[in-house]
Amino acid sequence: MASFIPRASKRLRLGAPSSQWICNDCRRTFASSIQSRQQQQPASSQRVGQDEKTTHFGYQTVAEDLKAGRVRDVFSSVASNYDTMNDLMSLGIHRLWKDHFVRSLNPGIPPSSRTHHPDQGMKILDIAGGTGDIAFRHLDHSSTINADHHTSVIVSDINPDMLAEGRKRFAASPYHATGRVSFLEANAEELGAVESGSIDLYTVAFGIRNFTHKQNALEEAFRVLKPGGVFACLEFTPQLSNPLLNAVYKRWSFGAIPLIGQIVAADRDSYQYLVESIERFPSQQKFAGMIRKAGFLIPGQDPKDEVVRSGWEDLTMGIAAIHKGVKPA
């Protein structure tokens, strides 16, 4: 995978700081998109009461209790074109990232580790995994690499349309009727249907940036995992490591992706939101700090060190990153 997922290149040292650099044309695109959508919304949806808690929905500020519904609407809109959406967002590389993500986790229990319990398998919870992209990879890896035909996956998503796509795909797969996959419609911030300490591996790919309360979701992940269980997240990052490539990528993201979304899926607004949501996601270091705050041990990080300096792997010059945490045994 090294040839497909190069490490982040050295930073180019420029005179002006680049961490927040966005071109003027892109800013005009953002403003135009936001203004257009606000004009289309009822006035009541644009006003937020003084006492209401607010959060971001892309570059808009909305009441917290409205965000989940809006995110649900976005993914209902793109559910049938989900693969196309990810191809546009990642220039098609998301398939390689997902392959690498799952291989790095090595799901399943190899025969040498289950000599006394031949029917033993891992219990995996895949959050925001409606269409089954990651779940298929978990099951394929456990079956073909670890000869484990007992590992199972719970595919959880807040959006019923995404889950419907996943059910459709699994119904046409060899895993249909094997009892190794189940579906759960749930909010990742409140996983009441999942018992505490019942999960071996918790994964979320390209989903956590859409959560209203990310810290709550991380704490729920900690709760449902068994001691020694692993939290793993694959997500886009807000900034590339190379400032020049970052500038080019921003022009592509904000200029081309919403336009292509309009042409391919007749849905510019959803794609505009998805691009904006990446910009609002925490940096790798900050998100790793949030994972540790939830109680996880960060791989390669001294628990006594106040500053988190590791725990993530940048992919393709930092377009995306893999984060991991381990629940203390």
Side-chain angles (χ1 to χ4, degrees):
M1 284 298 297
S3 61
F4 294 117
I5 309 175
R7 293 287 186 181
S9 60
K10 295 181 179 178
R11 291 183 181 273
L12 295 181
R13 301 188 181 277
L14 300 181
S18 61
S19 60
Q20 299 298 323
W21 188 94
I22 302 176
C23 66
N24 289 331
D25 287 346
C26 292
R27 289 187 186 278
R28 285 193 290 270
T29 300
F30 309 159
S32 175
S33 172
I34 295 169
Q35 183 180 18
S36 174
R37 270 182 285 177
Q38 287 178 338
Q39 290 173 349
Q40 294 171 7
Q41 295 167 357
S44 59
S45 72
Q46 297 179 38
R47 290 193 294 266
V48 178
Q50 292 181 350
D51 297 331
E52 280 189 287
K53 293 183 178 180
T54 62
T55 187
H56 59 81
F57 178 76
Y59 283 165
Q60 298 182 59
T61 298
V62 299
E64 281 188 353
D65 59 356
L66 295 179
K67 180 171 179 177
R70 290 198 177 192
V71 170
R72 188 181 297 112
D73 290 344
V74 166
F75 282 91
S76 291
S77 176
V78 303
S80 61
N81 295 295
Y82 183 72
D83 286 339
T84 301
M85 179 194 77
N86 280 327
D87 284 334
L88 295 176
M89 300 287 285
S90 70
L91 304 179
I93 309 173
H94 72 100
R95 301 170 192 272
L96 299 177
W97 292 340
K98 290 173 180 175
D99 289 343
H100 176 67
F101 178 57
V102 171
R103 278 201 297 268
S104 75
L105 297 169
N106 192 27
I109 303 175
S112 60
S113 299
R114 49 186 166 89
T115 52
H116 301 296
H117 302 280
D119 295 337
Q120 183 180 10
M122 293 179 68
K123 189 172 182 180
I124 302 172
L125 175 61
D126 185 42
I127 292 289
T131 61
D133 266 10
I134 299 298
F136 271 117
R137 287 170 168 84
H138 283 320
L139 295 175
D140 287 345
H141 185 101
S142 64
S143 299
T144 60
I145 303 300
N146 288 318
D148 173 358
H149 299 281
H150 300 283
T151 282
S152 61
V153 183
I154 301 171
V155 180
S156 179
D157 205 293
I158 195 173
N159 188 294
D161 294 310
M162 295 289 283
L163 289 172
E165 286 294 318
R167 288 191 177 96
K168 187 190 306 180
R169 293 183 183 187
F170 273 100
S173 78
Y175 299 112
H176 180 57
T178 63
R180 296 181 65 191
V181 61
S182 58
F183 295 87
L184 173 66
E185 183 179 340
N187 187 329
E189 299 170 21
E190 299 175 7
L191 293 170
V194 183
E195 293 183 12
S196 298
S198 63
I199 301 297
D200 295 290
L201 173 62
Y202 175 118
T203 57
V204 54
F206 304 122
I208 201 166
R209 74 179 187 276
N210 300 299
F211 297 173
T212 304
H213 303 102
K214 298 173 182 60
Q215 194 65 48
N216 290 0
L218 292 171
E219 291 169 3
E220 272 291 85
F222 187 87
R223 179 186 68 80
V224 302
L225 280 166
K226 298 177 182 178
V230 174
F231 165 85
C233 171
L234 170 63
E235 188 54 271
F236 288 109
T237 67
Q239 299 290 328
L240 275 65
S241 55
N242 184 307
L244 294 181
L245 292 178
N246 184 63
V248 173
Y249 183 65
K250 297 304 180 191
R251 288 296 295 265
W252 162 258
S253 297
F254 285 95
I257 290 177
L259 178 60
I260 296 174
Q262 181 176 351
I263 295 172
V264 174
D267 186 0
R268 182 186 185 96
D269 285 353
S270 292
Y271 285 79
Q272 182 75 34
Y273 159 73
L274 291 166
V275 171
E276 292 173 0
S277 68
I278 297 172
E279 289 290 304
R280 302 304 299 264
F281 192 67
S283 68
Q284 292 91 312
Q285 185 175 32
K286 185 175 181 181
F287 187 58
M290 293 172 65
I291 294 171
R292 184 168 73 168
K293 183 180 178 181
F296 291 100
L297 298 174
I298 304 299
Q301 176 74 31
D302 185 346
K304 298 178 181 178
D305 193 343
E306 294 184 2
V307 180
V308 178
R309 307 179 190 277
S310 62
W312 67 87
E313 176 188 2
D314 283 344
L315 307 179
T316 316
M317 296 169 289
I319 294 178
I322 295 172
H323 290 264
K324 294 177 183 177
V326 180
K327 184 173 180 176

